Amino acid sequence: MDSFNFSADLASSARPLDHCWEFTVGSGHAPLALRADWQAQLRRCHQELGMQRVRFHGILCDNVGTLIDHNHELLYSFFNIDRIWDFLVSIGMSSLVELSFMPKVLASGQTTVFNYEANVTPPKDYEQWAVLIRKLVEHAVDRYGLALMESWLFEVWNEPNLRAFWTGTQADYFNLYRHTARAIKGVDEQLQVGGPATANNGWIEDFVDFCDREKVPADFISTHHYPTDAFGTEDQDTETTLSEVPRGILQKYAVETQQLTRGRSLIYTEWSS
């Protein structure tokens, strides 16, 4: 069994502990947020741990009923989304809204992930995808008011650099992001949208280049990092200081990644130490 040596400098000056974990908490997928036990647990997370937002997959999936084809007519329903977001607002929380996955009526293919069959293919019609996003965001602004919605964050997709979550190319994702961001900003310029929501700090420099070159709005840069990701781990010394461990991702890797964002906020929407 490996052994580790720990040391503590009790003579050093104390410094504030930034509760970075309070920014958002992750959950599973949207229908779970309709359960009474989920809601009770999230309320407690907010009250006792200070969690401000919640992020989950699949707000646009078919099992939420957001968009269906009825006799070749697209029908939009925000009933279940309202039930979820009404609860969040009622307890003083907001959502870091992951805009995923593809409603099957808009999907270009049949590839799915997870047992709830989340479609991970690009839209067959990007304009129709943009209409869905615009209608959803307009509905939210009408229901909750612009002042509240300006504090929410809209994140485009989940880990498009992994084949399991996006069957398209990087260019296809950038096209999806372009349509999504412009649809959201078309409702109001103060609404916040970002991406690329990649695994392992991926695509960030390419994404920022794309947004700057094409003049596509990006209010924040989001990505994910886990200890099993191969990022900054080559030749890593197993002897480290305790202060580096709990915040290793946010303190060490994020410094390198932040340099690529050109002044935009960097948000790790999935992470673990």
Side-chain angles (χ1 to χ4, degrees):
M1 178 180 293
D2 293 335
S3 62
F4 298 91
N5 294 321
F6 295 94
S7 63
D9 183 3
L10 301 181
S12 63
S13 300
R15 58 182 178 178
L17 177 61
D18 179 15
H19 291 199
C20 52
W21 58 85
E22 293 178 358
F23 187 83
T24 191
V25 62
S27 181
H29 58 292
L32 294 176
L34 297 170
R35 291 172 43 161
D37 56 347
W38 184 96
Q39 294 183 2
Q41 291 165 17
L42 187 68
R43 180 185 286 108
R44 187 175 180 184
C45 285
H46 174 62
Q47 292 174 344
E48 298 184 12
L49 303 177
M51 296 300 185
Q52 302 166 18
R53 299 169 183 81
V54 62
R55 174 185 183 267
F56 45 75
H57 301 317
I59 197 75
L60 303 177
C61 284
D62 285 20
N63 59 0
V64 182
T66 307
L67 180 62
I68 62 171
D69 182 354
H70 179 69
N71 295 329
H72 305 293
E73 178 185 2
L74 293 179
L75 297 181
Y76 302 84
S77 172
F78 304 122
F79 175 76
N80 282 322
I81 293 179
D82 288 346
R83 293 171 63 198
I84 295 169
W85 288 355
D86 284 356
F87 169 72
L88 297 181
V89 172
S90 75
I91 64 171
M93 290 188 69
S94 62
S95 180
L96 199 158
V97 184
E98 176 196 304
L99 293 168
S100 69
F101 287 97
M102 192 60 57
K104 290 180 182 177
V105 67
L106 297 184
S108 61
Q110 300 179 350
T111 305
T112 62
V113 68
F114 300 132
N115 64 349
Y116 54 94
E117 298 183 344
N119 190 289
V120 294
T121 68
K124 58 188 175 186
D125 185 333
Y126 283 86
E127 294 298 334
Q128 284 295 335
W129 165 267
V131 170
L132 169 61
I133 300 302
R134 178 177 57 79
K135 285 182 177 292
L136 172 63
V137 175
E138 284 179 340
H139 175 78
V141 170
D142 289 343
R143 190 174 184 86
Y144 306 111
L146 181 60
L148 178 62
M149 293 310 300
E150 285 176 355
S151 68
W152 287 40
L153 303 175
F154 292 93
E155 182 184 35
V156 182
W157 212 254
N158 175 73
E159 299 189 348
N161 60 330
L162 298 186
R163 191 70 178 172
F165 291 112
W166 180 248
T167 63
T169 63
Q170 183 190 75
D172 291 330
Y173 172 75
F174 288 172
N175 195 23
L176 184 83
Y177 182 85
R178 182 206 321 267
H179 281 80
T180 308
R182 289 179 174 169
I184 291 172
K185 293 293 188 178
V187 177
D188 193 277
E189 286 288 340
Q190 299 307 309
L191 297 170
Q192 300 182 69
V193 60
T198 44
N200 195 15
N201 305 272
W203 290 6
I204 291 177
E205 190 167 17
D206 290 343
F207 177 73
V208 171
D209 284 343
F210 163 77
C211 291
D212 288 350
R213 182 180 66 252
E214 301 295 327
K215 295 181 170 53
V216 177
D219 298 297
F220 61 90
I221 304 300
S222 65
T223 190
H224 302 163
H225 189 79
Y226 290 92
T228 50
D229 290 337
F231 178 83
T233 57
E234 293 183 4
D235 302 321
Q236 185 173 341
D237 192 343
T238 56
E239 292 186 5
T240 186
T241 64
L242 185 61
S243 62
E244 290 178 328
V245 176
R247 303 179 64 209
I249 292 166
L250 300 177
Q251 191 170 38
K252 181 180 178 182
Y253 304 143
V255 171
E256 302 173 28
T257 309
Q258 180 69 67
Q259 296 172 356
L260 305 177
T261 68
R262 298 175 194 167
R264 298 174 177 88
S265 299
L266 173 65
I267 304 175
Y268 279 87
T269 53
E270 288 186 27
W271 62 276
S272 173
S273 60

